[in-house]
């Protein structure tokens, strides 16, 4: 998905992201009591990765990774005496973001994240992005070699979750790229089968919720999506996700989600608010206005307290500060880009 012309952004997890190290750091430095570490405006004095704690459990039950890219950047700026930039990046570091699961050892990686979350009394937020023929050969091309490889990988994810709490965002763009014709038709039947099978397999875990990716308010209409969602198994899922890695406003995303929900059995949904603070970008070439657009801002912070019974949560599925692809001076899709992260933080309210 990421880096695709329907308005996504690059974000591929490069293997296991030091999950075991995150567990150790969490045990030694992070609080599970609901504190959030040092607050913005402290000038960066004394901040390090250990200052990144958990958000209040009542409104934000998701785990904050104290060893994420943003937390490491806070520590680096602090070490260099750059308290102003450390404070800005801390706006990102102290929020829970999606953990995008790599292709190599999903069971170990997922186990590391979910165990760390459990120790902190929180829930892991996981993103599965490994469908065969992913992203139609664009910035984030790749995925499992074939259907059997994907099923084996998914089984590893499920085993890694075990009986721990997790919310899973399932395969960004996988459905949309069939609807818009980006994914060749000969792969459609298998992909529908894989998506439906993924919902069923993850549904066997006792405390796992699954939300299928369902596009964004700037991409066609709900009428183009509800039948494909049904075919992909939305009836057995907990709901769907909108605006993943996109910039549509929360208001527009809520309206889009409600229209779609009415067509798929009134399923609830989650909204990615990671970078939608200033809404979508309208400058430049339309086919690339999704890719590292300038002037964007962080959106609403993650919470399950949305005030709307159909909106289960605002989430940061896309990891703010990671590149959409090698466009507009950015690094390859998914790489941490501190300059862009600073821009998002400065522009946020």
């Amino acid at each position: 998905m990421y880096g695709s012309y329907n308005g996504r952004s690059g974000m591929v997890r490069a293997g296991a992201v030091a999950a075991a190290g995150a567990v150790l750091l969490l045990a030694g430095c992070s609080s599970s009591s609901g504190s959030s570490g040092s607050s913005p405006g402290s000038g960066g004095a004394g901040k390090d990765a250990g200052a990144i704690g958990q958000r209040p459990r009542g409104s934000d039950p998701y785990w904050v990774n104290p060893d994420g890219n943003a937390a490491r950047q806070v520590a680096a700026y602090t070490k260099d005496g750059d308290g102003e930039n450390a404070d800005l990046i801390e706006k990102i570091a102290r929020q829970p973001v999606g953990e995008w699961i790599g292709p190599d050892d999903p069971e170990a990686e997922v186990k590391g994240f979910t165990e760390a979350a459990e120790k902190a009394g929180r829930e892991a937020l996981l993103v599965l992005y490994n469908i065969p023929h992913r992203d139609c050969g664009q910035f984030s091309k790749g995925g499992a070699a074939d259907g059997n490889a994907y099923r084996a990988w998914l089984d590893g994810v499920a085993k890694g979750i075990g009986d721990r709490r997790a919310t899973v965002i399932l395969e960004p763009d996988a459905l949309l790229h069939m609807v818009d014709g980006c994914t060749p038709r000969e792969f459609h039947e298998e992909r529908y089968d894989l998506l439906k099978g993924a919902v069923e397999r993850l549904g066997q875990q006792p405390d796992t919720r699954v939300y299928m990716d369902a596009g964004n308010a700037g991409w066609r209409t709900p009428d183009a999506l509800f039948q494909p969602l049904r075919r992909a198994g939305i009836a057995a899922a907990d709901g769907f996700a909108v605006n993943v890695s996109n910039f549509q406003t929360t208001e527009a995303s809520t309206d889009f989600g409600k229209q779609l929900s009415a067509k798929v059995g009134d399923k609830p949904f989650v909204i990615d608010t990671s970078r939608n603070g200033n809404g979508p970008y309208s400058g430049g070439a339309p086919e690339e206005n999704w890719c590292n657009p300038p002037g964007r801002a962080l959106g609403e912070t993650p919470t399950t307290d949305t005030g709307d019974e159909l909106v289960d949560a605002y989430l940061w599925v896309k990891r703010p500060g990671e590149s959409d692809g090698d466009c507009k001076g950015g690094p390859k899709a998914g790489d941490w880009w501190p300059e862009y992260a600073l821009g998002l933080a400065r522009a946020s309210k």
Side-chain angles (χ1 to χ4, degrees):
M1 100 178 205
Y2 287 100
S4 67
Y5 56 80
N6 71 355
R8 300 300 184 156
S9 70
M11 172 58 240
V12 183
R13 294 291 290 175
V17 189
V23 174
L24 293 175
L25 183 58
L26 180 69
C29 302
S30 176
S31 166
S32 61
S33 65
S35 65
S36 58
S38 56
S39 60
S42 61
K47 279 203 282 282
D48 57 25
I52 306 302
Q54 302 303 315
R55 306 302 295 164
R57 185 183 290 105
S59 61
D60 188 0
Y62 296 100
W63 175 62
V64 177
N65 186 345
D67 194 34
N69 284 332
R72 294 180 183 187
Q73 189 68 67
V74 169
Y77 281 140
T78 300
K79 182 178 180 181
D80 291 341
D82 189 348
E84 180 180 355
N85 281 341
D87 280 344
L88 286 168
I89 298 300
E90 192 179 347
K91 292 182 179 182
I92 298 171
R94 58 193 178 92
Q95 301 299 334
V97 298
E99 299 293 349
W100 295 67
I101 305 307
D104 297 329
D105 193 351
E107 183 173 352
E109 186 176 5
V110 170
K111 183 178 180 181
F113 289 135
T114 56
E115 284 187 343
E118 183 178 59
K119 287 181 180 180
R122 300 299 191 275
E123 178 173 343
L125 176 62
L126 309 175
V127 188
L128 305 191
Y129 185 51
N130 195 39
I131 203 81
H133 318 293
R134 187 183 67 200
D135 203 36
C136 316
Q138 298 179 86
F139 285 133
S140 293
K141 64 184 177 181
D146 54 35
N148 287 334
Y150 183 79
R151 293 182 186 95
W153 177 83
L154 185 78
D155 192 58
V157 169
K159 290 177 179 177
I161 294 173
D163 61 0
R164 291 173 289 277
R165 288 185 296 154
T167 289
V168 174
I169 307 301
L170 183 62
E171 295 298 340
D173 276 354
L175 194 68
L176 273 69
H177 277 169
M178 291 191 288
V179 175
D180 66 16
C182 183
T183 299
R185 184 163 294 277
E186 60 263 33
F187 302 135
H188 287 198
E189 183 175 354
E190 178 188 61
R191 180 166 293 186
Y192 278 120
D193 181 69
L194 292 176
L195 291 172
K196 188 173 183 178
V199 172
E200 293 172 351
R201 177 64 186 90
L202 293 167
Q204 296 175 23
Q205 306 314 119
D207 217 352
T208 296
R209 293 178 295 170
V210 181
Y211 294 87
M212 304 185 72
D213 181 65
N216 63 76
W219 186 90
R220 303 196 183 185
T221 69
D223 285 339
L225 283 167
F226 75 93
Q227 292 286 11
L229 272 172
R230 289 176 179 174
R231 187 175 174 185
I234 187 64
D238 293 274
F240 57 91
V242 299
N243 204 48
V244 172
S245 299
N246 210 281
F247 304 87
Q248 302 298 319
T249 66
T250 301
E251 181 180 6
S253 297
T254 300
D255 182 62
F256 175 83
K258 286 184 174 182
Q259 292 181 53
L260 186 54
S261 174
K263 297 176 181 293
V264 292
D266 296 320
K267 287 285 185 177
F269 56 97
V270 297
I271 302 172
D272 185 353
T273 60
S274 57
R275 305 184 299 175
N276 72 348
N278 283 341
Y281 179 64
S282 59
E287 65 273 15
E288 273 205 1
N289 61 14
W290 56 267
C291 190
N292 298 324
R296 301 309 90 196
L298 303 172
E300 288 96 337
T301 55
T303 183
T304 54
D305 187 12
T306 68
D308 193 312
E309 62 181 10
L310 273 178
V311 183
D312 279 353
Y314 300 145
L315 302 175
W316 285 9
V317 182
K318 165 69 178 181
R319 301 161 66 88
E322 294 182 358
S323 177
D324 294 332
D326 53 357
C327 58
K328 299 182 181 68
K332 73 176 187 293
D335 277 7
W336 174 250
W337 188 8
E339 292 79 11
Y340 198 82
L342 286 169
L344 290 170
R346 287 193 187 99
S348 63
K349 298 177 177 61

